[in-house]
Amino acid sequence: MPAEKTDAVVIRLADFSESSKVVTLFTRDFGKVAALAKGAKRLKSSFEAALDLLAECRVVFLRRSSSGLDLLTESQLISRFRPNSRNLSSLYHGYYLAELLDGLTEDYDPHPTLYDAAVSTLGLLSGEGDSRLALVKFELTLLREIGHLPDFEECVVCGRPIALGDTARLWVSQGGLICSGCGRPQYEHTEVEAETVAVLRRLTCGSDEAWQRLSVSQRQFRELRGLLNSQVSHILERRPRMLKYLSF
Ligand SMILES: [Zn+2]
C-alpha cells in the first residue's frame, strides 16, 4: 500500500468503533477520500486532535488497492475552522460547504482549484464580512469544476443575450438561462433579473478579489439563492440537508 501525503479539509466524521472514526477528507491532490482513523477517539492519538469538521490538516494515508476504506496514519492540524462567533449562519455556511463537497465530488477526482476555493471560503466565513456572497462564489466555483455551471451569457433557446430590463429563468436540465420571450413559466422560482445575471457573470469570471466589493441587494440574494438551490438540488437529486439552515 503506497503512503500518500497531501493537505485536506475534513468534510465528514463518523464514529466507527469504541476508539476509531471514519473520516471523509477533501484532499488537494486526490479529491475526496474516505479513511479509517484508528484510535482517533483516544486522547493521545497520532492525529493530534486535528480531526475536527472543516479543519485543514496535512495528512498521510495508506491507499487500499481494492475497494474499502483507506487508512489514515497521520494528521497534523494546519488550521481549525473558526466561524464568526457573532454570526451563527457562518457556521451553517461552513456545514453547507462540507455537504456540497461530500455530495458533489467523486472519490479520487482531484480539483486543486476547488480545494483552494474551499480553504479561502472557510477563511472568509471566519471573518467579519458578509459570508453569504462568499458562499455563492464558492458554489459557482464548485459548479464550474464539476462541469455543471449554467451558461449566464445568453438564452439557451433563442441565443440572444439576456437584455437589461429582462427577467430570465434557469432551465436546470438544459444548464442555462431562458429569456422572458422564450417562456417556461414552470421555472418561475428561478427568476433572475438581468442585473442579477450581471452579478453572476462578475462572480464567475476573473480570479481577482473585486467580487468581494460587489454590492448585492436583498432581492438579488434571494434570486441568487433560488437559482443555486435549484441547480445544486438538480445535480444532487435532492435538496441539501443544510439548506434549511441558510438564512438569506
Ligand atoms: Zn430566448
Side-chain angles (χ1 to χ4, degrees), residues 155 158 179 182:
C155 171
C158 69
C179 72
C182 292

Side-chain angles (χ1 to χ4, degrees), residues 20 33 61 78 136 230:
S20 303
V33 168
F61 64 93
I78 299 173
V136 167
S230 291

